Amino acid sequence: MKRYSGWAVFREGLRGQTGWSRAWRDPEPKSEYDIVIVGGGGHGLATAYYLAKNHGLKNIAVVEKGWLGGGNVGRNTTIVRSNYALPHSTEFYEHSVKLWENLAHDLNYNVMFSQRGQLGLFHTPAARDAQAKRANTMVMNGIEAELLDTEGVKNLIPHLDYSENARFPILGAVLQRRAGTARHDAVAWGFARGADERGVDILQNCEVQGFLREEGRVTGVETSRGVIRAKKVGVAVAGSTGHVMAMAGIERLPIETHKLQAFVSEPLKPLLDYVVSYGAPGAHFYISQSDKGGMVFGGDLDFYNSYAQRGNLPIVQDVAESAMAIMPCLGRVKLLRHWAGVMDMSMDGTHIMSKTPIDNLYLNAGWCYGGFKATPASGYHFADLIANDRPDALTAPFSLDRFEKGYAIDEKGMGPTPKLH
Ligand SMILES: Cc1cc2nc3c(=O)[nH]c(=O)nc-3n(C[C@H](O)[C@H](O)[C@H](O)COP(=O)(O)OP(=O)(O)OC[C@H]3O[C@@H](n4cnc5c(N)ncnc54)[C@H](O)[C@@H]3O)c2cc1C
């Protein structure tokens, strides 16, 4: 496959763009693979890529019911950070940020990872204490963090609402400078191209409709393009986890499917250099500006279960109010598009990466609305789990049986209420 480079762009400019090859093939499904990954989102594609790259495995298929990038990987607000407070999550997400930092080189694909910094605002003294604790935990784990006061935030972003009677007075923020954003669909395409280059078959329009089982183990999948046998099957289908795992015979999982909306405005001149987020009683909001100038933002879940990839109007109003409460200058900006994705909300707000009670069937799920930032590390460690049939040290805490054993990893301390995580 032709490598992408500045020189290649220049040469193709002179040759009328005639020398580019397809980014990935469109093969017919084979009757059998060593490993089938169900779900061609970011996590499924990254898993296939690292299975090939790190473990030298080639006879792999990714089966995707729609098109690459049609799920959450192409619908999210692209925030990447590692400002977690609990052990296990801290290490996992920091490993992910480190992979992000070299991802464009690794994939030879510009994923547009922009480490512009993220500020988590706080509005009460109690919230300041909580954020200071989080910043200390990060620093103790070798992750840089800065605690800013009101002036510190104002110096970086002068046009938030700092007035005395603001609905959410800004007392300060925790800043992670290495956090940022990436171009979501480029991440899917980059992993797809990298996996394809290493021999992985990417099968689009190929829906898994059932599982083959023999003597307590999975031996393949039934798809809309025929039966595919496999020695191992990994499931990474995000919001469809409950539905797909039920077909495999696992009827009950600690996951609920919810919807989350995202919004993008008309393009503006440079307005916001950072990612900004805040959460307060009655409001949850995060915003950044895309390289094309659109303000990209979102808020809370829609608060009811659904598989529909569209949202409801009350949340549109909620998000607009949250935006105006912190950034009144957005008042006259026109909304260009909004959409929703289906989220696999887990009972403790933390992901599951695990073997399952069925042999040769592996599960990657429960990313809630924070799984984009995890994409490289998720693929890296899920590949390791599938290849070696045992979790590595960073994966072991996220096993499915933690809910039976009472080892919940509840970052927000909300208990088993998925829509609050
Ligand atoms: C609006 C919104 C904003 C978000 N913002 C952020 C953010 O700022 N930062 C962050 O870190 N995370 C964010 N997320 C979360 C993040 O997008 C997800 O956690 C992550 O993308 C999920 O993993 P994925 O990419 O593999 O999922 P997906 O892209 O959804 O991949 C799953 C794939 O499985 C396929 N599939 C389902 N059923 C079947 C079947 N039967 N057979 C074959 N294929 C099947 C689907 O078609 C889909 O393509 C956001 C999500 C949304 C919706």
Side-chain angles (χ1 to χ4, degrees), residues 308-337:
Q309 290 191 126
R310 60 178 181 273
N312 64 20
L313 279 174
I315 288 290
V316 177
Q317 183 171 348
D318 242 41
V319 173
E321 284 172 5
S322 301
M324 288 299 290
I326 210 79
M327 224 170 149
C329 64
L330 292 177
R332 290 183 173 194
V333 173
K334 292 195 186 76
L335 193 62
L336 198 63
R337 291 193 304 275

Side-chain angles (χ1 to χ4, degrees), residues 38-44 63-66 71-73 75-79 206-208 236-238 240 244 247 260-262 339 341 343 367-373:
V38 186
H43 292 232
V63 292
E64 165 54 48
K65 76 173 176 184
N72 294 338
V73 69
R75 291 169 180 265
N76 66 81
T77 43
T78 79
I79 302 170
C206 186
E207 179 177 1
V208 168
V237 293
S240 302
V244 169
M247 291 194 264
L260 181 69
Q261 301 191 48
W339 61 87
M343 320 307 314
W367 295 96
C368 301
Y369 47 56
F372 179 67
K373 68 175 97 71

